[in-house]
Amino acid sequence: MEKINKTNYGNWMPIKLVYIIVAGLILAAVLTFLTFHFSCHWTSKTLAIAFLIFMTISMVYALAVRHTFSFSGGGLMGKVHEYLTNHIQWDGNGKLLDVGCGAGALTIRCAKKFPQSECTGIDYWGMKWDYSKKMCENNAKLEGVADRCVFMKGDANNLDFGDETFDVVVSNFVYHEVNGILDRESLLKETLRVLKKGGVFALQDLFGQRLMYGDFNVIVEHLKSEGIEEINYIKDAGKEIPVPSWLRMPAMLNGVGIIYGKK
């Protein structure tokens, strides 16, 4: 069995997507070559060149994004997690839940920040991502917090925990990835359901994207009316982290927002 002795927190730009773009770039190059050798129509040649340029730009952009996100590169993933954990107003005694833990990076950061805590990370670990439970457990072991971290498969839409189980709940860039859910407000309510009364939360997602959440201020008011004691909403958290302007695009980290407070 291969011995893994280095943490691996993956990347928010999935390597599978990069491979797809590489395949598209190869296809574009082949089509351009064939067009210039077997076609005399400049319209076809122009379209082929345009496709090749588009795929080349896409490849450069994807690689730049991966480098910027990477913990060993630009470190943006770590900066985003640090920003979120800085909004956890907690003494560190008790149980914490990370909804959508991925490779365990945020769960483990919380365990290290709060050395008296017990941390649970849940994730669906779908085919899209290069994450797994084994990866989480190995990372926790290498970071020296395996005795206080538990990872399990779970569904953010239907958490397998009773009401008021945790002292803290956190989540980062997860809710917009949950498939088949039109009412994303329900995901927030499900996360807060398992939080103890008096417990604290810090939840971060693309709350500013109206196509997903509508007017998020309305959702904030709904949560207040349902008994959340304190809720703070930072609408454009991307500026505070900060997220580079070239990453703040509709399909990327546009509309980053965070809510935090006390139930």
Side-chain angles (χ1 to χ4, degrees):
M1 180 181 296
E2 180 183 2
K3 183 178 181 180
I4 303 175
N5 56 14
K6 183 179 180 181
T7 56
N8 177 12
Y9 290 118
N11 196 292
W12 294 340
M13 169 62 74
I15 192 63
K16 295 173 184 176
L17 179 57
V18 175
Y19 290 156
I20 291 172
I21 295 174
V22 170
L25 179 57
I26 294 172
L27 175 62
V30 171
L31 287 175
T32 301
F33 174 82
L34 294 176
T35 300
F36 270 78
H37 280 74
F38 298 104
S39 175
C40 60
H41 298 290
W42 279 104
T43 300
S44 300
K45 293 178 180 180
T46 300
L47 290 174
I49 291 174
F51 182 39
L52 180 61
I53 292 173
F54 173 76
M55 293 309 304
T56 300
I57 293 174
S58 298
M59 185 75 258
V60 171
Y61 184 78
L63 293 176
V65 170
R66 272 188 68 85
H67 175 77
T68 302
F69 282 159
S70 174
F71 280 92
S72 58
L76 183 57
M77 292 169 67
K79 294 173 185 176
V80 170
H81 289 160
E82 181 180 19
Y83 179 79
L84 187 148
T85 57
N86 285 342
H87 289 84
I88 302 175
Q89 302 168 340
W90 186 40
D91 63 7
N93 292 302
K95 298 192 295 183
L96 177 147
L97 174 67
D98 177 13
V99 178
C101 63
L106 177 57
T107 315
I108 292 168
R109 179 181 286 269
C110 289
K112 295 175 74 172
K113 183 180 179 71
F114 303 108
Q116 303 302 316
S117 64
E118 297 178 9
C119 299
T120 299
I122 69 106
D123 201 287
Y124 194 73
W125 292 305
M127 292 294 292
K128 177 181 177 181
W129 300 101
D130 310 312
Y131 306 141
S132 67
K133 179 180 178 181
K134 182 178 180 181
M135 182 186 293
C136 293
E137 292 173 341
N138 186 70
N139 287 333
K141 181 178 180 180
L142 292 172
E143 295 279 14
V145 294
D147 60 327
R148 295 187 292 108
C149 290
V150 174
F151 299 96
M152 59 183 69
K153 190 175 181 67
D155 181 358
N157 189 47
N158 185 22
L159 297 173
D160 193 23
F161 304 105
D163 296 352
E164 301 191 17
T165 299
F166 296 92
D167 300 282
V168 180
V169 290
V170 299
S171 184
N172 185 69
F173 295 166
V174 171
Y175 303 123
H176 72 278
E177 293 285 353
V178 179
N179 296 322
I181 299 296
L182 296 178
D183 178 17
R184 299 190 187 278
E185 180 178 345
S186 66
L187 296 174
L188 298 174
K189 291 179 178 178
E190 175 64 4
T191 295
L192 294 171
R193 176 187 66 80
V194 302
L195 179 64
K196 294 178 181 178
K197 187 64 179 175
V200 301
F201 59 91
L203 312 175
Q204 193 160 240
D205 198 33
L206 307 180
F207 296 140
Q209 293 197 11
R210 284 181 170 267
L211 287 177
M212 292 185 186
Y213 289 98
D215 184 351
F216 195 76
N217 288 293
V218 173
I219 294 178
V220 169
E221 292 304 314
H222 287 171
L223 295 176
K224 287 180 179 178
S225 68
E226 294 190 6
I228 301 299
E229 180 178 327
E230 174 192 344
I231 181 168
N232 305 284
Y233 172 40
I234 299 178
K235 182 178 181 180
D236 198 351
K239 289 183 178 179
E240 296 191 7
I241 293 171
V243 174
S245 59
W246 58 274
L247 273 174
R248 300 172 70 189
M249 300 172 63
M252 297 300 294
L253 301 186
N254 180 52
V256 177
I258 184 172
I259 56 172
Y260 65 97
K262 181 179 181 180
K263 184 174 179 180

